[in-house]
Amino acid sequence: MSSTPLRIEHVALYTVDLEATRDFFERYFHATAGPLYHNPTKQFRSYFLTFPGGGARLEIMTRPALLPSATADSLGYAHIALSVGSPAEVDALTDRLRRDGYAVLSGPRTTGDGYYESVVAAVGGLTIEITV
């Protein structure tokens, strides 16, 4: 391995509704979507999302005939944790999402390991942890 520091470049996830998922992250987390990528041969579409403050990008992807999503307690993807900067921001965004019809699965609360967070069931069944 080279001496270049290792970092996560991006994380990818499938969604049934690509545009609604893009809109969710733009509306609530101020993401900026890059151009739509479309591979007509594979019927694959995706966006790369960047977030204020930098860090890893999120690739959201779709294609026809996706398999049903796994349960929350299965191997693989569990949730995405997004930091909003303060407990007051966690509270405000959680309240906004609740008012907009998203299910709040837990919190806001301080967890046993010291995180202040809430967990929301987002568009398409994605689980989003909102944290400081």
Side-chain angles (χ1 to χ4, degrees), residues 80-105:
I80 297 172
L82 296 168
S83 171
V84 295
S86 72
E89 290 294 324
V90 171
D91 294 346
L93 183 54
T94 303
D95 288 342
R96 181 178 171 202
L97 288 161
R98 182 182 288 118
R99 285 192 313 273
D100 288 352
Y102 294 97
V104 175
L105 304 177

Side-chain angles (χ1 to χ4, degrees), residues 36-121:
L36 174 68
Y37 170 74
H38 179 216
N39 180 324
T41 303
K42 295 183 178 183
Q43 297 183 317
F44 173 86
R45 296 174 189 268
S46 73
Y47 288 106
F48 276 96
L49 305 178
T50 58
F51 295 89
R57 298 181 300 161
L58 176 63
E59 182 181 14
I60 54 174
M61 312 174 300
T62 196
R63 61 182 178 80
L66 291 171
L67 298 173
S69 63
T71 65
D73 292 327
S74 64
L75 293 173
Y77 167 80
H79 65 267
I80 297 172
L82 296 168
S83 171
V84 295
S86 72
E89 290 294 324
V90 171
D91 294 346
L93 183 54
T94 303
D95 288 342
R96 181 178 171 202
L97 288 161
R98 182 182 288 118
R99 285 192 313 273
D100 288 352
Y102 294 97
V104 175
L105 304 177
S106 71
R109 67 189 181 101
T110 301
T111 63
D113 56 358
Y115 281 92
Y116 188 76
E117 68 181 37
S118 66
V119 178
V120 176

